[in-house]
PDB file of all heavy atoms in Angstrom:
ATOM      1  N   THR G   1      86.796  97.338  67.060  1.00  0.00           N
ATOM      2  CA  THR G   1      86.677  96.595  68.332  1.00  0.00           C
ATOM      3  C   THR G   1      87.586  97.219  69.425  1.00  0.00           C
ATOM      4  O   THR G   1      87.168  97.403  70.567  1.00  0.00           O
ATOM      5  CB  THR G   1      87.095  95.150  68.117  1.00  0.00           C
ATOM      6  OG1 THR G   1      86.302  94.585  67.106  1.00  0.00           O
ATOM      7  CG2 THR G   1      86.956  94.323  69.439  1.00  0.00           C
ATOM      8  N   GLU G   2      88.783  97.605  68.995  1.00  0.00           N
ATOM      9  CA  GLU G   2      89.703  98.244  69.951  1.00  0.00           C
ATOM     10  C   GLU G   2      89.142  99.550  70.506  1.00  0.00           C
ATOM     11  O   GLU G   2      89.247  99.813  71.678  1.00  0.00           O
ATOM     12  CB  GLU G   2      91.031  98.452  69.278  1.00  0.00           C
ATOM     13  CG  GLU G   2      92.125  98.895  70.246  1.00  0.00           C
ATOM     14  CD  GLU G   2      93.447  99.073  69.522  1.00  0.00           C
ATOM     15  OE1 GLU G   2      93.619  98.570  68.383  1.00  0.00           O
ATOM     16  OE2 GLU G   2      94.341  99.695  70.196  1.00  0.00           O
ATOM     17  N   MET G   3      88.543 100.345  69.584  1.00  0.00           N
ATOM     18  CA  MET G   3      87.985 101.631  70.006  1.00  0.00           C
ATOM     19  C   MET G   3      86.848 101.431  70.927  1.00  0.00           C
ATOM     20  O   MET G   3      86.658 102.137  71.926  1.00  0.00           O
ATOM     21  CB  MET G   3      87.517 102.404  68.752  1.00  0.00           C
ATOM     22  CG  MET G   3      88.671 102.934  67.894  1.00  0.00           C
ATOM     23  SD  MET G   3      88.110 103.808  66.457  1.00  0.00           S
ATOM     24  CE  MET G   3      87.243 105.137  67.188  1.00  0.00           C
ATOM     25  N   MET G   4      85.956 100.454  70.609  1.00  0.00           N
ATOM     26  CA  MET G   4      84.842 100.187  71.463  1.00  0.00           C
ATOM     27  C   MET G   4      85.287  99.723  72.849  1.00  0.00           C
ATOM     28  O   MET G   4      84.690 100.134  73.877  1.00  0.00           O
ATOM     29  CB  MET G   4      83.956  99.087  70.848  1.00  0.00           C
ATOM     30  CG  MET G   4      83.154  99.575  69.624  1.00  0.00           C
ATOM     31  SD  MET G   4      82.192  98.226  68.889  1.00  0.00           S
ATOM     32  CE  MET G   4      81.076  97.863  70.173  1.00  0.00           C
ATOM     33  N   GLN G   5      86.337  98.947  72.841  1.00  0.00           N
ATOM     34  CA  GLN G   5      86.851  98.489  74.134  1.00  0.00           C
ATOM     35  C   GLN G   5      87.358  99.644  74.961  1.00  0.00           C
ATOM     36  O   GLN G   5      87.167  99.734  76.175  1.00  0.00           O
ATOM     37  CB  GLN G   5      87.992  97.469  73.921  1.00  0.00           C
ATOM     38  CG  GLN G   5      87.492  96.113  73.485  1.00  0.00           C
ATOM     39  CD  GLN G   5      88.660  95.190  73.146  1.00  0.00           C
ATOM     40  OE1 GLN G   5      89.793  95.631  73.087  1.00  0.00           O
ATOM     41  NE2 GLN G   5      88.341  93.894  72.992  1.00  0.00           N
ATOM     42  N   GLN G   6      88.011 100.663  74.278  1.00  0.00           N
ATOM     43  CA  GLN G   6      88.523 101.827  75.015  1.00  0.00           C
ATOM     44  C   GLN G   6      87.376 102.678  75.541  1.00  0.00           C
ATOM     45  O   GLN G   6      87.423 103.170  76.632  1.00  0.00           O
ATOM     46  CB  GLN G   6      89.421 102.681  74.078  1.00  0.00           C
ATOM     47  CG  GLN G   6      90.730 102.013  73.778  1.00  0.00           C
ATOM     48  CD  GLN G   6      91.565 102.880  72.801  1.00  0.00           C
ATOM     49  OE1 GLN G   6      91.072 103.828  72.287  1.00  0.00           O
ATOM     50  NE2 GLN G   6      92.789 102.382  72.543  1.00  0.00           N
ATOM     51  N   GLU G   7      86.294 102.772  74.661  1.00  0.00           N
ATOM     52  CA  GLU G   7      85.197 103.619  75.101  1.00  0.00           C
ATOM     53  C   GLU G   7      84.418 102.961  76.228  1.00  0.00           C
ATOM     54  O   GLU G   7      83.887 103.640  77.114  1.00  0.00           O
ATOM     55  CB  GLU G   7      84.256 103.833  73.884  1.00  0.00           C
ATOM     56  CG  GLU G   7      84.848 104.760  72.851  1.00  0.00           C
ATOM     57  CD  GLU G   7      83.962 104.871  71.592  1.00  0.00           C
ATOM     58  OE1 GLU G   7      82.880 104.230  71.623  1.00  0.00           O
ATOM     59  OE2 GLU G   7      84.325 105.610  70.671  1.00  0.00           O
ATOM     60  N   THR G   8      84.266 101.682  76.142  1.00  0.00           N
ATOM     61  CA  THR G   8      83.438 101.012  77.132  1.00  0.00           C
ATOM     62  C   THR G   8      84.202 100.452  78.315  1.00  0.00           C
ATOM     63  O   THR G   8      83.651  99.845  79.186  1.00  0.00           O
ATOM     64  CB  THR G   8      82.652  99.861  76.491  1.00  0.00           C
ATOM     65  OG1 THR G   8      83.585  98.938  75.952  1.00  0.00           O
ATOM     66  CG2 THR G   8      81.733 100.364  75.416  1.00  0.00           C
ATOM     67  N   ALA G   9      85.553 100.662  78.312  1.00  0.00           N
ATOM     68  CA  ALA G   9      86.351 100.158  79.408  1.00  0.00           C
ATOM     69  C   ALA G   9      85.882 100.765  80.715  1.00  0.00           C
ATOM     70  O   ALA G   9      85.776 102.002  80.823  1.00  0.00           O
ATOM     71  CB  ALA G   9      87.836 100.454  79.168  1.00  0.00           C
ATOM     72  N   PRO G  10      85.632 100.001  81.702  1.00  0.00           N
ATOM     73  CA  PRO G  10      85.168 100.509  82.960  1.00  0.00           C
ATOM     74  C   PRO G  10      86.251 101.362  83.715  1.00  0.00           C
ATOM     75  O   PRO G  10      87.429 100.999  83.621  1.00  0.00           O
ATOM     76  CB  PRO G  10      84.823  99.277  83.786  1.00  0.00           C
ATOM     77  CG  PRO G  10      85.705  98.192  83.190  1.00  0.00           C
ATOM     78  CD  PRO G  10      85.805  98.539  81.747  1.00  0.00           C
ATOM     79  N   VAL G  11      85.803 102.403  84.342  1.00  0.00           N
ATOM     80  CA  VAL G  11      86.736 103.273  85.117  1.00  0.00           C
ATOM     81  C   VAL G  11      87.076 102.532  86.367  1.00  0.00           C
ATOM     82  O   VAL G  11      86.175 102.067  87.080  1.00  0.00           O
ATOM     83  CB  VAL G  11      86.045 104.612  85.451  1.00  0.00           C
ATOM     84  CG1 VAL G  11      87.024 105.438  86.294  1.00  0.00           C
ATOM     85  CG2 VAL G  11      85.652 105.340  84.229  1.00  0.00           C
ATOM     86  N   PRO G  12      88.344 102.378  86.620  1.00  0.00           N
ATOM     87  CA  PRO G  12      88.725 101.625  87.808  1.00  0.00           C
ATOM     88  C   PRO G  12      88.254 102.285  89.087  1.00  0.00           C
ATOM     89  O   PRO G  12      88.267 103.495  89.221  1.00  0.00           O
ATOM     90  CB  PRO G  12      90.301 101.635  87.750  1.00  0.00           C
ATOM     91  CG  PRO G  12      90.625 102.768  86.865  1.00  0.00           C
ATOM     92  CD  PRO G  12      89.503 102.909  85.879  1.00  0.00           C
ATOM     93  N   ALA G  13      87.716 101.474  89.989  1.00  0.00           N
ATOM     94  CA  ALA G  13      87.191 102.002  91.246  1.00  0.00           C
ATOM     95  C   ALA G  13      88.293 102.604  92.116  1.00  0.00           C
ATOM     96  O   ALA G  13      89.443 102.066  92.095  1.00  0.00           O
ATOM     97  CB  ALA G  13      86.476 100.855  92.010  1.00  0.00           C
ATOM     98  N   LEU G  14      87.985 103.695  92.822  1.00  0.00           N
ATOM     99  CA  LEU G  14      88.990 104.293  93.699  1.00  0.00           C
ATOM    100  C   LEU G  14      89.265 103.408  94.879  1.00  0.00           C
ATOM    101  O   LEU G  14      88.310 102.806  95.471  1.00  0.00           O
ATOM    102  CB  LEU G  14      88.464 105.645  94.234  1.00  0.00           C
ATOM    103  CG  LEU G  14      88.311 106.733  93.184  1.00  0.00           C
ATOM    104  CD1 LEU G  14      87.601 107.960  93.810  1.00  0.00           C
ATOM    105  CD2 LEU G  14      89.669 107.163  92.658  1.00  0.00           C
ATOM    106  N   SER G  15      90.464 103.275  95.211  1.00  0.00           N
ATOM    107  CA  SER G  15      90.829 102.455  96.356  1.00  0.00           C
ATOM    108  C   SER G  15      90.428 103.181  97.643  1.00  0.00           C
ATOM    109  O   SER G  15      90.124 104.376  97.672  1.00  0.00           O
ATOM    110  CB  SER G  15      92.339 102.220  96.390  1.00  0.00           C
ATOM    111  OG  SER G  15      92.982 103.429  96.636  1.00  0.00           O
ATOM    112  N   GLU G  16      90.387 102.429  98.715  1.00  0.00           N
ATOM    113  CA  GLU G  16      90.030 103.015 100.021  1.00  0.00           C
ATOM    114  C   GLU G  16      90.927 104.144 100.407  1.00  0.00           C
ATOM    115  O   GLU G  16      90.555 105.125 100.990  1.00  0.00           O
ATOM    116  CB  GLU G  16      90.085 101.941 101.089  1.00  0.00           C
ATOM    117  CG  GLU G  16      88.985 100.884 101.009  1.00  0.00           C
ATOM    118  CD  GLU G  16      87.614 101.471 101.189  1.00  0.00           C
ATOM    119  OE1 GLU G  16      87.463 102.391 102.004  1.00  0.00           O
ATOM    120  OE2 GLU G  16      86.670 100.983 100.541  1.00  0.00           O
ATOM    121  N   LYS G  17      92.227 104.013  99.995  1.00  0.00           N
ATOM    122  CA  LYS G  17      93.232 105.027 100.316  1.00  0.00           C
ATOM    123  C   LYS G  17      92.961 106.339  99.588  1.00  0.00           C
ATOM    124  O   LYS G  17      93.246 107.417 100.067  1.00  0.00           O
ATOM    125  CB  LYS G  17      94.610 104.546 100.045  1.00  0.00           C
ATOM    126  CG  LYS G  17      95.061 103.432 100.945  1.00  0.00           C
ATOM    127  CD  LYS G  17      96.486 103.012 100.682  1.00  0.00           C
ATOM    128  CE  LYS G  17      96.936 101.904 101.588  1.00  0.00           C
ATOM    129  NZ  LYS G  17      98.328 101.475 101.325  1.00  0.00           N
ATOM    130  N   THR G  18      92.456 106.248  98.325  1.00  0.00           N
ATOM    131  CA  THR G  18      92.254 107.462  97.508  1.00  0.00           C
ATOM    132  C   THR G  18      90.892 108.060  97.682  1.00  0.00           C
ATOM    133  O   THR G  18      90.618 109.112  97.127  1.00  0.00           O
ATOM    134  CB  THR G  18      92.530 107.109  96.028  1.00  0.00           C
ATOM    135  OG1 THR G  18      91.585 106.087  95.630  1.00  0.00           O
ATOM    136  CG2 THR G  18      93.954 106.692  95.807  1.00  0.00           C
ATOM    137  N   LYS G  19      89.996 107.393  98.398  1.00  0.00           N
ATOM    138  CA  LYS G  19      88.682 108.004  98.643  1.00  0.00           C
ATOM    139  C   LYS G  19      88.811 109.299  99.470  1.00  0.00           C
ATOM    140  O   LYS G  19      89.589 109.394 100.322  1.00  0.00           O
ATOM    141  CB  LYS G  19      87.809 107.001  99.391  1.00  0.00           C
ATOM    142  CG  LYS G  19      87.201 105.924  98.458  1.00  0.00           C
ATOM    143  CD  LYS G  19      86.227 105.075  99.266  1.00  0.00           C
ATOM    144  CE  LYS G  19      85.630 103.989  98.383  1.00  0.00           C
ATOM    145  NZ  LYS G  19      84.732 103.138  99.148  1.00  0.00           N
ATOM    146  N   GLN G  20      87.858 110.289  99.157  1.00  0.00           N
ATOM    147  CA  GLN G  20      87.850 111.515  99.907  1.00  0.00           C
ATOM    148  C   GLN G  20      87.403 111.217 101.357  1.00  0.00           C
ATOM    149  O   GLN G  20      86.372 110.585 101.505  1.00  0.00           O
ATOM    150  CB  GLN G  20      86.818 112.486  99.242  1.00  0.00           C
ATOM    151  CG  GLN G  20      86.785 113.868  99.878  1.00  0.00           C
ATOM    152  CD  GLN G  20      88.036 114.652  99.588  1.00  0.00           C
ATOM    153  OE1 GLN G  20      88.747 114.375  98.658  1.00  0.00           O
ATOM    154  NE2 GLN G  20      88.315 115.632 100.411  1.00  0.00           N
ATOM    155  N   PRO G  21      88.193 111.625 102.262  1.00  0.00           N
ATOM    156  CA  PRO G  21      87.746 111.299 103.675  1.00  0.00           C
ATOM    157  C   PRO G  21      86.449 112.012 104.055  1.00  0.00           C
ATOM    158  O   PRO G  21      86.187 113.144 103.607  1.00  0.00           O
ATOM    159  CB  PRO G  21      88.937 111.865 104.519  1.00  0.00           C
ATOM    160  CG  PRO G  21      89.542 112.882 103.625  1.00  0.00           C
ATOM    161  CD  PRO G  21      89.397 112.348 102.206  1.00  0.00           C
ATOM    162  N   LYS G  22      85.669 111.336 104.780  1.00  0.00           N
ATOM    163  CA  LYS G  22      84.376 111.868 105.193  1.00  0.00           C
ATOM    164  C   LYS G  22      84.590 113.056 106.192  1.00  0.00           C
ATOM    165  O   LYS G  22      83.814 113.980 106.231  1.00  0.00           O
ATOM    166  CB  LYS G  22      83.538 110.804 105.855  1.00  0.00           C
ATOM    167  CG  LYS G  22      83.062 109.735 104.889  1.00  0.00           C
ATOM    168  CD  LYS G  22      82.189 108.737 105.603  1.00  0.00           C
ATOM    169  CE  LYS G  22      81.721 107.671 104.582  1.00  0.00           C
ATOM    170  NZ  LYS G  22      80.888 106.656 105.254  1.00  0.00           N
ATOM    171  N   GLU G  23      85.611 112.959 107.049  1.00  0.00           N
ATOM    172  CA  GLU G  23      85.890 114.009 108.031  1.00  0.00           C
ATOM    173  C   GLU G  23      87.354 114.441 107.905  1.00  0.00           C
ATOM    174  O   GLU G  23      88.240 113.550 107.928  1.00  0.00           O
ATOM    175  CB  GLU G  23      85.604 113.559 109.460  1.00  0.00           C
ATOM    176  CG  GLU G  23      84.152 113.469 109.787  1.00  0.00           C
ATOM    177  CD  GLU G  23      83.926 113.172 111.221  1.00  0.00           C
ATOM    178  OE1 GLU G  23      84.920 113.117 111.989  1.00  0.00           O
ATOM    179  OE2 GLU G  23      82.791 113.004 111.637  1.00  0.00           O
ATOM    180  N   CYS G  24      87.566 115.683 107.742  1.00  0.00           N
ATOM    181  CA  CYS G  24      88.940 116.191 107.624  1.00  0.00           C
ATOM    182  C   CYS G  24      89.362 116.722 108.996  1.00  0.00           C
ATOM    183  O   CYS G  24      88.540 117.239 109.739  1.00  0.00           O
ATOM    184  CB  CYS G  24      88.998 117.300 106.623  1.00  0.00           C
ATOM    185  SG  CYS G  24      90.612 118.093 106.509  1.00  0.00           S
ATOM    186  N   PHE G  25      90.601 116.546 109.345  1.00  0.00           N
ATOM    187  CA  PHE G  25      91.057 116.983 110.639  1.00  0.00           C
ATOM    188  C   PHE G  25      90.947 118.516 110.795  1.00  0.00           C
ATOM    189  O   PHE G  25      91.043 119.067 111.874  1.00  0.00           O
ATOM    190  CB  PHE G  25      92.461 116.536 110.953  1.00  0.00           C
ATOM    191  CG  PHE G  25      93.512 117.111 110.034  1.00  0.00           C
ATOM    192  CD1 PHE G  25      94.141 118.290 110.406  1.00  0.00           C
ATOM    193  CD2 PHE G  25      93.861 116.514 108.830  1.00  0.00           C
ATOM    194  CE1 PHE G  25      95.115 118.849 109.555  1.00  0.00           C
ATOM    195  CE2 PHE G  25      94.813 117.090 108.004  1.00  0.00           C
ATOM    196  CZ  PHE G  25      95.442 118.243 108.349  1.00  0.00           C
ATOM    197  N   LEU G  26      90.771 119.248 109.678  1.00  0.00           N
ATOM    198  CA  LEU G  26      90.638 120.716 109.728  1.00  0.00           C
ATOM    199  C   LEU G  26      89.238 121.163 110.094  1.00  0.00           C
ATOM    200  O   LEU G  26      89.007 122.291 110.441  1.00  0.00           O
ATOM    201  CB  LEU G  26      91.005 121.287 108.354  1.00  0.00           C
ATOM    202  CG  LEU G  26      92.512 121.158 107.955  1.00  0.00           C
ATOM    203  CD1 LEU G  26      92.723 121.714 106.540  1.00  0.00           C
ATOM    204  CD2 LEU G  26      93.394 121.934 108.931  1.00  0.00           C
ATOM    205  N   ILE G  27      88.274 120.220 109.932  1.00  0.00           N
ATOM    206  CA  ILE G  27      86.899 120.529 110.242  1.00  0.00           C
ATOM    207  C   ILE G  27      86.749 120.725 111.753  1.00  0.00           C
ATOM    208  O   ILE G  27      87.206 119.888 112.523  1.00  0.00           O
ATOM    209  CB  ILE G  27      85.934 119.445 109.701  1.00  0.00           C
ATOM    210  CG1 ILE G  27      86.057 119.366 108.182  1.00  0.00           C
ATOM    211  CG2 ILE G  27      84.496 119.722 110.159  1.00  0.00           C
ATOM    212  CD1 ILE G  27      85.251 118.223 107.585  1.00  0.00           C
ATOM    213  N   LYS G  28      86.100 121.778 112.174  1.00  0.00           N
ATOM    214  CA  LYS G  28      85.882 122.061 113.587  1.00  0.00           C
ATOM    215  C   LYS G  28      84.954 121.049 114.195  1.00  0.00           C
ATOM    216  O   LYS G  28      83.859 120.898 113.743  1.00  0.00           O
ATOM    217  CB  LYS G  28      85.301 123.465 113.774  1.00  0.00           C
ATOM    218  CG  LYS G  28      85.202 123.889 115.216  1.00  0.00           C
ATOM    219  CD  LYS G  28      84.660 125.301 115.304  1.00  0.00           C
ATOM    220  CE  LYS G  28      84.549 125.692 116.793  1.00  0.00           C
ATOM    221  NZ  LYS G  28      84.036 127.067 116.897  1.00  0.00           N
ATOM    222  N   PRO G  29      85.416 120.344 115.187  1.00  0.00           N
ATOM    223  CA  PRO G  29      84.528 119.335 115.805  1.00  0.00           C
ATOM    224  C   PRO G  29      83.317 119.969 116.494  1.00  0.00           C
ATOM    225  O   PRO G  29      83.386 121.113 116.959  1.00  0.00           O
ATOM    226  CB  PRO G  29      85.439 118.664 116.856  1.00  0.00           C
ATOM    227  CG  PRO G  29      86.465 119.706 117.166  1.00  0.00           C
ATOM    228  CD  PRO G  29      86.671 120.462 115.907  1.00  0.00           C
ATOM    229  N   LYS G  30      82.260 119.219 116.552  1.00  0.00           N
ATOM    230  CA  LYS G  30      81.051 119.706 117.172  1.00  0.00           C
ATOM    231  C   LYS G  30      81.259 119.949 118.667  1.00  0.00           C
ATOM    232  O   LYS G  30      81.820 119.108 119.341  1.00  0.00           O
ATOM    233  CB  LYS G  30      79.910 118.705 116.971  1.00  0.00           C
ATOM    234  CG  LYS G  30      78.567 119.213 117.379  1.00  0.00           C
ATOM    235  CD  LYS G  30      77.493 118.217 117.034  1.00  0.00           C
ATOM    236  CE  LYS G  30      76.106 118.754 117.438  1.00  0.00           C
ATOM    237  NZ  LYS G  30      75.044 117.775 117.153  1.00  0.00           N
ATOM    238  N   GLU G  31      80.812 121.090 119.152  1.00  0.00           N
ATOM    239  CA  GLU G  31      81.049 121.466 120.552  1.00  0.00           C
ATOM    240  C   GLU G  31      80.122 120.649 121.445  1.00  0.00           C
ATOM    241  O   GLU G  31      78.926 120.577 121.208  1.00  0.00           O
ATOM    242  CB  GLU G  31      80.819 122.937 120.754  1.00  0.00           C
ATOM    243  CG  GLU G  31      81.121 123.434 122.136  1.00  0.00           C
ATOM    244  CD  GLU G  31      80.956 124.898 122.282  1.00  0.00           C
ATOM    245  OE1 GLU G  31      79.806 125.345 122.143  1.00  0.00           O
ATOM    246  OE2 GLU G  31      81.918 125.623 122.503  1.00  0.00           O
ATOM    247  N   THR G  32      80.682 120.061 122.470  1.00  0.00           N
ATOM    248  CA  THR G  32      79.868 119.338 123.456  1.00  0.00           C
ATOM    249  C   THR G  32      79.425 120.274 124.565  1.00  0.00           C
ATOM    250  O   THR G  32      79.933 121.383 124.699  1.00  0.00           O
ATOM    251  CB  THR G  32      80.726 118.203 124.045  1.00  0.00           C
ATOM    252  OG1 THR G  32      81.825 118.785 124.783  1.00  0.00           O
ATOM    253  CG2 THR G  32      81.227 117.303 122.967  1.00  0.00           C
ATOM    254  N   LYS G  33      78.522 119.807 125.379  1.00  0.00           N
ATOM    255  CA  LYS G  33      78.040 120.589 126.512  1.00  0.00           C
ATOM    256  C   LYS G  33      79.170 120.865 127.489  1.00  0.00           C
ATOM    257  O   LYS G  33      79.264 121.951 128.038  1.00  0.00           O
ATOM    258  CB  LYS G  33      76.939 119.832 127.256  1.00  0.00           C
ATOM    259  CG  LYS G  33      75.608 119.793 126.519  1.00  0.00           C
ATOM    260  CD  LYS G  33      74.558 119.094 127.349  1.00  0.00           C
ATOM    261  CE  LYS G  33      73.229 119.044 126.609  1.00  0.00           C
ATOM    262  NZ  LYS G  33      72.166 118.361 127.397  1.00  0.00           N
ATOM    263  N   GLU G  34      80.067 119.927 127.662  1.00  0.00           N
ATOM    264  CA  GLU G  34      81.243 120.103 128.545  1.00  0.00           C
ATOM    265  C   GLU G  34      82.134 121.207 128.041  1.00  0.00           C
ATOM    266  O   GLU G  34      82.586 122.041 128.853  1.00  0.00           O
ATOM    267  CB  GLU G  34      81.990 118.804 128.648  1.00  0.00           C
ATOM    268  CG  GLU G  34      83.136 118.825 129.678  1.00  0.00           C
ATOM    269  CD  GLU G  34      83.873 117.501 129.781  1.00  0.00           C
ATOM    270  OE1 GLU G  34      83.404 116.531 129.144  1.00  0.00           O
ATOM    271  OE2 GLU G  34      84.924 117.515 130.435  1.00  0.00           O
ATOM    272  N   ASP G  35      82.328 121.235 126.681  1.00  0.00           N
ATOM    273  CA  ASP G  35      83.190 122.268 126.135  1.00  0.00           C
ATOM    274  C   ASP G  35      82.557 123.659 126.329  1.00  0.00           C
ATOM    275  O   ASP G  35      83.229 124.634 126.616  1.00  0.00           O
ATOM    276  CB  ASP G  35      83.400 122.001 124.628  1.00  0.00           C
ATOM    277  CG  ASP G  35      84.248 120.776 124.373  1.00  0.00           C
ATOM    278  OD1 ASP G  35      85.032 120.435 125.295  1.00  0.00           O
ATOM    279  OD2 ASP G  35      84.106 120.202 123.309  1.00  0.00           O
ATOM    280  N   ALA G  36      81.212 123.749 126.122  1.00  0.00           N
ATOM    281  CA  ALA G  36      80.503 124.986 126.292  1.00  0.00           C
ATOM    282  C   ALA G  36      80.604 125.498 127.706  1.00  0.00           C
ATOM    283  O   ALA G  36      80.772 126.709 127.959  1.00  0.00           O
ATOM    284  CB  ALA G  36      79.030 124.825 125.865  1.00  0.00           C
ATOM    285  N   THR G  37      80.482 124.578 128.673  1.00  0.00           N
ATOM    286  CA  THR G  37      80.572 124.985 130.091  1.00  0.00           C
ATOM    287  C   THR G  37      81.967 125.500 130.403  1.00  0.00           C
ATOM    288  O   THR G  37      82.094 126.521 131.052  1.00  0.00           O
ATOM    289  CB  THR G  37      80.304 123.743 130.982  1.00  0.00           C
ATOM    290  OG1 THR G  37      79.017 123.231 130.632  1.00  0.00           O
ATOM    291  CG2 THR G  37      80.338 124.136 132.445  1.00  0.00           C
ATOM    292  N   LYS G  38      83.000 124.846 129.893  1.00  0.00           N
ATOM    293  CA  LYS G  38      84.400 125.339 130.110  1.00  0.00           C
ATOM    294  C   LYS G  38      84.571 126.685 129.527  1.00  0.00           C
ATOM    295  O   LYS G  38      85.254 127.517 130.099  1.00  0.00           O
ATOM    296  CB  LYS G  38      85.372 124.318 129.531  1.00  0.00           C
ATOM    297  CG  LYS G  38      85.489 123.026 130.282  1.00  0.00           C
ATOM    298  CD  LYS G  38      86.505 122.107 129.647  1.00  0.00           C
ATOM    299  CE  LYS G  38      86.639 120.795 130.445  1.00  0.00           C
ATOM    300  NZ  LYS G  38      87.580 119.869 129.761  1.00  0.00           N
ATOM    301  N   ARG G  39      83.961 126.910 128.327  1.00  0.00           N
ATOM    302  CA  ARG G  39      84.169 128.172 127.673  1.00  0.00           C
ATOM    303  C   ARG G  39      83.495 129.294 128.450  1.00  0.00           C
ATOM    304  O   ARG G  39      84.018 130.386 128.623  1.00  0.00           O
ATOM    305  CB  ARG G  39      83.565 128.112 126.253  1.00  0.00           C
ATOM    306  CG  ARG G  39      83.791 129.331 125.394  1.00  0.00           C
ATOM    307  CD  ARG G  39      83.594 129.021 123.907  1.00  0.00           C
ATOM    308  NE  ARG G  39      82.381 128.306 123.686  1.00  0.00           N
ATOM    309  CZ  ARG G  39      81.152 128.900 123.572  1.00  0.00           C
ATOM    310  NH1 ARG G  39      81.067 130.214 123.741  1.00  0.00           N
ATOM    311  NH2 ARG G  39      80.107 128.169 123.300  1.00  0.00           N
TER     312      ARG G  39
END
């Protein structure tokens, strides 16, 4: 029973803090028309 409980124990859900961010600050932001004009 103990082994089954270990095997079937649910994996704890990742907290909001540990989730992979959808956008990283290193990712180059999409260029706007205003940015293109300035360039």
